[in-house]
Amino acid sequence: MLNLKTGDLYKLQTDAVVIPVAEDEQLHENERVIFLTGKTETAREFKGARGDELTLYNLPSLKSPRVIFLGLGKKNKIDAESLRAVCGKAVRKCIKNRLRSIMIAAPSSGILGMEIKDIIEPMLEGAFLGNHLFNKYKEEKKNKPLEKINFFVEPQIMINFSGLPSQVETVCKGTLLAREWVSTPSNFKKPEQFAKIIASIAKKENLIIKNFDYKYLKRLGFGSILAVAAGSRNKPRLLILKYDPKGAKKTIALVGKGITFDSGGINLKPSGSLEDMKMDMSGAAAVAATLISAAKMKPKVRIIGAIPLVENMPSGDAARPGDIITGYNGKTIEINNTDAEGRLILADAISYVLKEHIPDILIDVATLTGACVVALGEKIAGLFSPDDELAEKIIQSAKKTGERCWRMPLPEDYRELLKSEFADISNMSSSKWGGAITAALFLSEFIKDTRWAHIDIAGPAYTKKETDYCGVGGTGFGVRLLCDLIQKL
Ligand code: BES
Ligand code: MG
Ligand code: ZN
């Protein structure tokens, strides 16, 4: 799929040569590319500004039937994300035009003042991620992904980075897997069904799998998971995936919220808030896909994935506001809002992982609160951690992969908002403000002193609008970030 190519650009076989162009400076060093870029000078409609596009056909002596120029804006504003975006855009444009292969020219490292790897890697990612279509449920498949995406580079770069395209594919396949799962409608990913789907792929990668069913969860006292599941005829699951390389010294636990549909339960969500709630298992998808990619990347750390899968529905059997339940760790919880269900299933999964696997670090990923979307919008995740060093590492990985995280506070004096008159804790804040923070504080009550971070991905997990390298639906947010992070922990 992804390949680095070198040679005489004029002679290479491809449906389109794609040249990214800046508005103020030449980005390329290759003579052929510079000559072709010169052809845009007479075109008034193309200045190389961000978003500019120009296609020229049948240029003399060029084997490719078309050259597409894409504007990147001002040279000093170009970064990894704009390179990712321009390649995604090129791929999506060519898919719509029914092309089969493209050749994207990589800008020069010297001119951009960036390491060559920091140029090519995001370009490979943007192109690969942009080449994904979710059309499983359409009878007529109008468009098809490209068959070949090539990158035109200098010979030395092709030699030095020959392994990079396949590394990028390994990680980005994880992102696409997560996207597919998130976009899958809830009637095709009920907890049991979804657990099986994940387990069958995990098995191929030789991950160790435990798939706890309803009876087991009941016997072991997973009271929180069971309370959220009570309203649905589709029974819950807790899936544990383990990557256990020889000689591993550290254990990292990843916990992902897996609400396969969030109706809100008895505190039923209104129309307008229900329609996209198939995406409420995006944390679970990110964790499972990360383990599957990690099994191929083979980092030296042990990784435990804990994935509670539950459907949150209203019914005569559902948990009621005011109900008090006992979680896996023995704490009692007053359920004051059945729509604050994510923190309940996470509390049990976290308690289990801490007890059974004693991780050095625990990171949970969850579409936890609408309040986090209010705070940071739809493209930035909220990062909560009392551990400065861990938080900084996550922010660095997030910067690298373009999956942005913004650190949020965990103020001690807000804890009192979670006090319950009757139980150890309430799942609902007594204030209507700061909901992302109080949700994170609720989780922290189950952590004890393990190094911990919580990433609220309610905003960026799903997109209702096509972006440069992601179609409508699940974005796979978090997979590339976690894959980068586990190699650095
Ligand atoms: N799954 C939702 C959070 C969510 C909202 C995710 C929008 C993605 C987009 C979560 O379970 C929820 O319902 N949270 C409530 C919490 C409240 C009842 C304390 C919320 O955000 O309103
Ligand atoms: Mg909810
Ligand atoms: Zn939810």
Side-chain angles (χ1 to χ4, degrees):
M1 164 77 65
L2 297 175
N3 275 297
L4 303 182
K5 294 271 170 176
T6 197
D8 182 351
L9 182 62
Y10 277 37
K11 302 210 171 98
L12 294 172
Q13 187 79 50
T14 183
D15 291 342
V17 167
V18 176
I19 304 181
V21 178
E23 69 182 78
D24 49 355
E25 254 182 84
Q26 174 59 257
L27 295 178
H28 300 272
E29 264 169 359
N30 180 274
E31 263 175 52
R32 300 291 211 196
V33 178
I34 292 172
F35 180 78
L36 289 173
T37 311
K39 301 270 176 206
T40 63
E41 274 161 24
T42 48
R44 282 210 186 169
E45 63 271 44
F46 187 87
K47 291 277 170 278
R50 231 191 160 116
D52 276 6
E53 295 182 20
L54 178 71
T55 306
L56 300 178
Y57 295 91
N58 304 321
L59 293 175
S61 62
L62 182 69
K63 201 158 193 183
S64 168
R66 57 179 78 63
V67 182
I68 302 172
F69 300 93
L70 293 175
L72 273 169
K74 291 225 161 47
K75 190 196 99 171
N76 63 8
K77 289 270 167 63
I78 296 172
D79 58 8
E81 185 61 14
S82 58
L83 292 169
R84 212 174 269 123
V86 85
C87 291
K89 198 167 170 180
V91 167
R92 296 184 86 74
K93 185 179 166 77
C94 292
I95 290 175
K96 283 174 189 145
N97 291 328
R98 314 278 178 100
L99 307 188
R100 306 307 326 132
S101 69
I102 64 171
M103 176 83 62
I104 306 177
S108 139
S109 144
I111 296 174
L112 271 183
M114 292 167 74
E115 293 286 329
I116 187 68
K117 185 168 186 255
D118 297 337
I119 296 175
I120 309 177
E121 191 172 21
M123 290 181 78
L124 289 160
E125 289 168 354
F128 190 81
L129 295 171
N131 199 31
H132 170 251
L133 300 170
F134 184 77
N135 52 12
K136 203 169 145 189
Y137 297 95
K138 295 237 190 227
E139 164 143 286
E140 188 204 3
K141 319 257 187 249
K142 234 176 40 204
N143 294 325
K144 274 199 284 187
L146 302 181
E147 278 156 15
K148 279 206 179 100
I149 303 173
N150 294 317
F151 288 81
F152 185 69
V153 296
E154 295 304 313
Q156 198 54 45
I157 295 171
M158 191 172 93
I159 297 165
N160 293 353
F161 295 96
S162 59
L164 191 59
S166 75
Q167 282 171 32
V168 168
E169 281 191 28
T170 300
V171 176
C172 290
K173 274 181 187 160
T175 301
L176 300 190
L177 193 56
R179 281 187 188 176
E180 296 263 332
W181 286 335
V182 173
S183 295
T184 296
S186 298
N187 56 327
F188 288 105
K189 59 178 178 198
K190 293 168 186 172
E192 265 177 44
Q193 205 175 7
F194 188 31
K196 264 193 206 150
I197 294 170
I198 297 172
S200 76
I201 302 173
K203 201 171 151 196
K204 287 193 200 126
E205 300 306 331
N206 296 317
L207 292 167
I208 301 159
I209 305 164
K210 281 185 196 156
N211 187 351
F212 300 154
D213 63 6
Y214 173 75
K215 272 192 190 154
Y216 188 89
L217 294 174
K218 196 159 178 175
R219 184 145 50 86
L220 269 83
F222 286 86
S224 275
I225 289 180
L226 294 172
V228 177
S232 173
R233 57 178 63 200
N234 302 307
K235 297 278 177 266
R237 291 273 161 155
L238 175 61
L239 192 64
I240 307 290
L241 303 178
K242 187 170 175 183
Y243 164 73
D244 196 3
K246 270 204 192 88
K249 292 198 183 79
K250 262 193 185 167
T251 303
I252 315 294
L254 303 176
V255 183
K257 171 176 172 183
I259 295 291
T260 64
F261 184 73
D262 184 10
S263 71
I266 296 297
N267 292 97
L268 190 62
K269 287 179 185 293
S271 300
S273 299
L274 281 161
E275 291 70 13
D276 295 330
M277 278 304 135
K278 66 175 181 183
M279 60 77 93
D280 212 18
M281 36 54 76
S282 300
V287 168
T290 297
L291 268 117
I292 289 163
S293 288
K296 298 180 202 163
M297 288 155 33
K298 309 214 182 302
K300 289 193 170 69
V301 286
R302 187 178 298 107
I303 312 172
I304 310 293
I307 303 167
L309 298 168
V310 187
E311 189 177 55
N312 185 23
M313 295 292 266
S315 83
D317 293 321
R320 293 151 287 255
D323 281 3
I324 293 177
I325 55 149
T326 305
Y328 183 81
N329 70 351
K331 265 195 204 197
T332 59
I333 306 168
E334 184 176 8
I335 302 180
N336 280 312
N337 191 316
T338 61
D339 198 11
E341 84 299 335
R343 63 196 76 183
L344 293 174
I345 67 166
L346 289 172
D348 269 4
I350 288 169
S351 304
Y352 173 81
V353 173
L354 291 182
K355 179 163 170 248
E356 293 299 318
H357 297 279
I358 317 170
D360 298 286
I361 292 177
L362 186 150
I363 300 169
D364 77 81
V365 189
T367 49
L368 203 62
T369 64
C372 200
V373 194
V374 173
L376 299 173
E378 291 178 283
K379 293 191 174 172
I380 303 177
L383 168 64
F384 299 81
S385 178
D387 185 319
D388 291 343
E389 196 188 321
L390 178 59
E392 189 50 37
K393 279 197 171 144
I394 293 173
I395 285 168
Q396 288 314 321
S397 288
K399 279 212 176 110
K400 167 144 197 278
T401 66
E403 293 160 294
R404 283 171 290 174
C405 293
W406 189 261
R407 185 138 179 222
M408 301 279 277
L410 288 166
E412 280 307 313
D413 56 332
Y414 283 25
R415 279 189 200 281
E416 66 178 28
L417 300 172
L418 294 167
K419 278 199 176 132
S420 156
E421 291 291 336
F422 309 107
D424 296 336
I425 192 168
S426 166
N427 80 328
M428 177 73 187
S429 170
S430 55
S431 163
K432 69 174 180 179
W433 307 112
I437 296 172
T438 45
L441 285 170
F442 180 92
L443 297 178
S444 77
E445 292 289 330
F446 294 82
I447 294 294
K448 292 183 250 174
D449 45 16
T450 303
R451 298 182 68 193
W452 163 71
H454 156 61
I455 310 178
D456 191 333
I457 60 168
Y462 196 82
T463 180
K464 290 175 95 117
K465 267 210 324 248
E466 178 177 353
T467 66
D468 286 330
Y469 55 93
C470 186
V472 173
T475 62
F477 186 99
V479 176
R480 288 183 301 118
L481 163 62
L482 291 172
C483 284
D484 186 72
L485 183 72
I486 53 181
Q487 290 170 301
K488 293 177 177 165
L489 285 176

